[in-house]
Amino acid sequence: MNALAPTVSTPPQRPLRRLAASCFAVLTFLATAMPVAVQARGAPESFADLAEEVTSAVVNISASTTVETRNRTLPQLPPGTPFEDLFEEFFNRRGQGQGQGNGDNVPRPRRSNSLGSGFVIDPSGIVVTNNHVIGDANDISVIFSDGTRLKAEIIGKDTKVDLAVLKVKSDKPLKAVKFGDSDALRPGDWVLAIGNPFGLGGSVTAGIISARGRNIDSGPYDNYIQTDAAINKGNSGGPLFNMNGEVIGINTAILSPTGGSVGIGFAVPASSAVPVIDQLRQFGETRRGWLGVRIQNVDDATAEALNLGSARGALIAGIDDKGPAKPAGLQVGDVITRFDGKDVKDSRDLPRIVASTPVGKAVEVTIVRKGAEMKKQVTLGRLEDGEKQANAQQPSTETPTATRQALGLNLSGITDDLRRRYNLKDDAKGVVITRVDPNSSAADKRIQAGEVIVEINQEPVSSPADVTKKIDALKSQGRKSALLLVANAQGEVRFVALSIE
C-alpha cells in the first residue's frame, strides 16, 4: 500500500482541482450568458375529446326572410310582332305573365334564406350568433346536432359588434357552454372552431391564435381575435374554443380573395361580446356608456407638440355641448390617457372602454393638458344611435384681412368674399387657408384651401400675424412641430401637427 501512496498523494491532485474549478466556472458563465432554450409544447394528440364535449352545444342557424315582390309585366309589343307568342310563353311559364289580362303587378311573396352558426350559453335555451346571420329574418330556426329543430325568437341584436341573442323553447335542459377569459390568450395558443360551413353541418377545425386586437374597419369597436383555424361562409356566429372548452371568441369574418378560408379568420373576443350579450338579455337592446367627445389619434409629431413624451392616448378634437364631458371640465386639446382605471394606449381603445362602462357610472378620467397631468370625474351618459357630436365652440375674435405665408400655407383673415367662396359658416372664426403648397407637410396631412386654422398649440388665432408670431415663438423654444386645430367648411375640427423645422 505504501508503494502506491505517491499516486494518491496531494500534490498530483492540485492541477486536477484547478482544472475542475476552471471548467465549472466556464459552464457557469455559459449557463448565465447563453439564452435558455424554451421547451416547446407539443400539439394535442387529438382534439376529439374536446370536440365531443362541446359539439352538442353548437347549433346551425337557418334564417328566412319573406318579402313581397310584384310580377314583371309582359313587355308591351305591337300586335303581330313575330316574337309576341315567344315572350308570352316565357313569362307565363314562370308565373309572371299577364294571363288573361288580370293579375299582373300583383304582390307575390319571395323567400330568401341564410345559414350560419351559433351556440347555447344557457340550458334554458339562450343562443348566441352574429347579427348578420339573422339580419331582418322573420323566420329563424335553430338546428341541433341530433337533428332537433326549434323555432327561435329574437331577444335582442346589436349591429356595432355584430351580435344577436335568440331564445328557443325546449322540453329539456340544453347543453350549454361557458365563456372564457379572452384577455388571457396569447398568439400561438391552440383554438378550436366549430360551425356550419357552406351549410354542411357541424364541422370542426383547429388552429392557433394568430394575433389579437385586430381592426378590420367593420365597426367602431373592432378588437378582433385573428386565427388560422379554417373559417368559411356559414361559420359566422359559431364559437371559438380554448383547450378548456370555453368560448373565447365568436367567429364573425374572414379575409379572403377567393371567398374561402385562406387562414385569416376573425372572431369577436369574449371580453367584448359578454357585456353586449348581458345587455341584450336584460334590456333587449344595448345601453352603452357615452362620454360626448370626438377624438383622434396621437402621432409622434402631435405628441411632441403637446409635450406628451411619447405617442399615446386619445386627443379630444370636439366636445358635445349636451354630453357628459363638458360639465366635467374636459376640453378640446386634452389627451385622455386613462379611463376608469384602464390605460388608453391609442384612440381606438377609448370608444371600446367607454361603451362597455355602465351608463350613469361616475368614472375617473386621467388627461394631459398642456403638458400637465390631471384627473377629472365624469358621470357617463347613454350613447344613442344616430347621435352626432357637436362641434367645439370657436373663439370670438376680430379677423383682420392681411395675408401671409407660413408652414407652406397662404393665410388670410376671414372676409365676406372668402366666406362666400369657401361656403364658410357665418360664425366661422380664425385664419383662412387660401392655398397649400403641394410639396409641404401640410399637403401630406391633407390640409386644403378653404379650411380655417382656429388654434395653434391650443391658443386661438384670429389673424395671419397671430399664426406667424406663434410659429416664431415655438421655434425659439426649440420645438419641432406646431399643433394646429383646423376646421372645415361645416365647422368640424381636427388636430394636425406640422413640422416647423
Side-chain angles (χ1 to χ4, degrees):
M1 293 292 295
N2 290 341
L4 297 176
T7 62
V8 293
S9 62
T10 300
Q13 287 182 333
R14 287 174 183 166
L16 293 176
R17 287 178 178 173
R18 286 196 296 270
L19 179 61
S22 299
C23 290
F24 179 77
V26 171
L27 291 174
T28 301
F29 170 77
L30 292 175
T32 56
M34 295 179 65
V36 179
V38 177
Q39 182 66 36
R41 297 181 181 179
E45 182 178 342
S46 172
F47 295 99
D49 290 341
L50 174 58
E52 184 177 5
E53 178 186 348
V54 299
T55 294
S56 57
V58 182
V59 298
N60 298 339
I61 306 290
S62 175
S64 300
T65 305
T66 302
V67 296
E68 288 188 347
T69 59
R70 296 187 178 273
N71 294 333
R72 298 178 186 174
T73 302
L74 182 67
Q76 299 299 311
L77 302 174
T81 300
F83 298 104
E84 182 178 7
D85 293 340
L86 177 62
F87 271 100
E88 186 170 358
E89 179 185 358
F90 177 84
F91 278 90
N92 285 338
R93 188 165 58 240
R94 286 156 178 76
Q96 298 171 334
Q98 292 175 317
Q100 302 299 321
N102 54 22
D104 61 314
N105 206 31
V106 175
R108 290 175 178 270
R110 182 175 62 84
R111 195 176 182 87
S112 62
N113 300 301
S114 64
L115 294 173
S117 306
F119 55 99
V120 181
I121 62 169
D122 190 298
S124 66
I126 304 298
V127 177
V128 172
T129 186
N130 281 143
N131 174 66
H132 78 259
V133 169
I134 62 170
D136 295 322
N138 43 34
D139 185 9
I140 304 172
S141 295
V142 174
I143 304 131
F144 293 80
S145 57
D146 61 0
T148 301
R149 189 183 189 101
L150 299 176
K151 292 290 184 182
E153 61 174 318
I154 300 173
I155 292 179
K157 54 185 182 178
D158 175 46
T159 59
K160 291 188 172 80
V161 182
D162 196 8
L163 293 177
V165 179
L166 311 177
K167 169 74 174 177
V168 297
K169 294 181 179 179
S170 175
D171 296 333
K172 58 182 179 180
L174 301 173
K175 169 70 176 179
V177 288
K178 296 181 179 180
F179 284 101
D181 183 6
S182 58
D183 292 338
L185 291 174
R186 298 180 301 166
D189 283 342
W190 283 102
V191 286
L192 198 71
I194 303 180
N196 179 29
F198 299 107
L200 294 172
S203 298
V204 180
T205 57
I208 62 170
I209 297 298
S210 302
R212 293 177 50 191
R214 287 296 196 214
N215 176 18
I216 61 174
D217 293 323
S218 67
Y221 310 117
D222 280 15
N223 185 32
Y224 287 103
I225 297 168
Q226 181 184 328
T227 178
D228 67 350
I231 296 174
N232 287 286
K233 293 180 179 179
N235 276 104
S236 291
L240 189 67
F241 291 102
N242 62 16
M243 292 298 98
N244 296 323
E246 299 167 329
V247 179
I248 45 81
I250 301 171
N251 302 321
T252 299
I254 61 173
L255 180 63
S256 171
T258 64
S261 175
V262 294
I264 304 178
F266 302 99
V268 177
S271 59
S272 298
V274 170
V276 174
I277 292 169
D278 289 344
Q279 290 178 14
L280 294 178
R281 293 183 66 180
Q282 184 176 357
F283 307 113
E285 61 184 359
T286 55
R287 297 188 178 182
R288 293 186 170 96
W290 178 50
L291 185 58
V293 297
R294 183 163 55 84
I295 59 173
Q296 65 182 71
N297 208 29
V298 178
D299 56 20
D300 291 336
T302 304
E304 193 275 337
L306 292 173
N307 287 326
L308 278 177
S310 61
R312 58 195 172 102
L315 175 60
I316 299 178
I319 294 183
D320 193 310
D321 285 336
K322 298 181 180 179
K326 187 172 183 178
L330 296 182
Q331 299 178 5
V332 172
D334 290 344
V335 178
I336 299 175
T337 58
R338 193 170 177 83
F339 186 91
D340 197 23
K342 302 178 181 67
D343 289 333
V344 180
K345 297 178 181 178
D346 59 47
S347 61
R348 289 196 304 119
D349 291 338
L350 186 62
R352 291 197 302 268
I353 298 172
V354 174
S356 62
T357 305
V359 175
K361 182 179 180 180
V363 300
E364 183 179 82
V365 182
T366 302
I367 63 171
V368 177
R369 179 180 297 170
K370 296 183 178 180
E373 185 175 283
M374 57 185 70
K375 300 182 186 298
K376 299 288 184 179
Q377 285 287 125
V378 181
T379 301
L380 291 188
R382 179 183 172 185
L383 177 65
E384 301 292 345
D385 289 339
E387 192 172 44
K388 293 183 178 180
Q389 299 166 341
N391 299 321
Q393 292 184 353
Q394 306 299 324
S396 56
T397 53
E398 296 299 323
T399 56
T401 59
T403 60
R404 296 200 181 192
Q405 289 184 333
L407 302 174
L409 306 171
N410 286 15
L411 306 172
S412 174
I414 298 178
T415 64
D416 291 339
D417 178 61
L418 292 176
R419 200 183 298 276
R420 287 191 297 269
R421 184 192 306 175
Y422 297 120
N423 295 319
L424 301 179
K425 289 187 173 183
D426 292 339
D427 60 350
K429 305 293 183 182
V431 179
V432 182
I433 299 168
T434 58
R435 181 183 177 277
V436 180
D437 184 343
N439 298 317
S440 66
S441 62
D444 294 338
K445 296 294 181 70
R446 298 182 180 179
I447 290 180
Q448 298 178 358
E451 293 186 310
V452 178
I453 300 175
V454 180
E455 295 178 359
I456 292 184
N457 274 51
Q458 300 177 281
E459 295 181 359
V461 291
S462 58
S463 68
D466 286 347
V467 175
T468 55
K469 285 179 183 178
K470 293 187 183 302
I471 292 172
D472 290 341
L474 291 172
K475 288 180 178 180
S476 66
Q477 297 168 13
R479 306 291 286 274
K480 298 179 180 179
S481 59
L483 186 67
L484 279 60
L485 181 64
V486 179
N488 62 15
Q490 290 73 42
E492 297 172 339
V493 296
R494 74 185 193 278
F495 285 96
V496 180
L498 297 182
S499 173
I500 58 176
E501 294 183 313

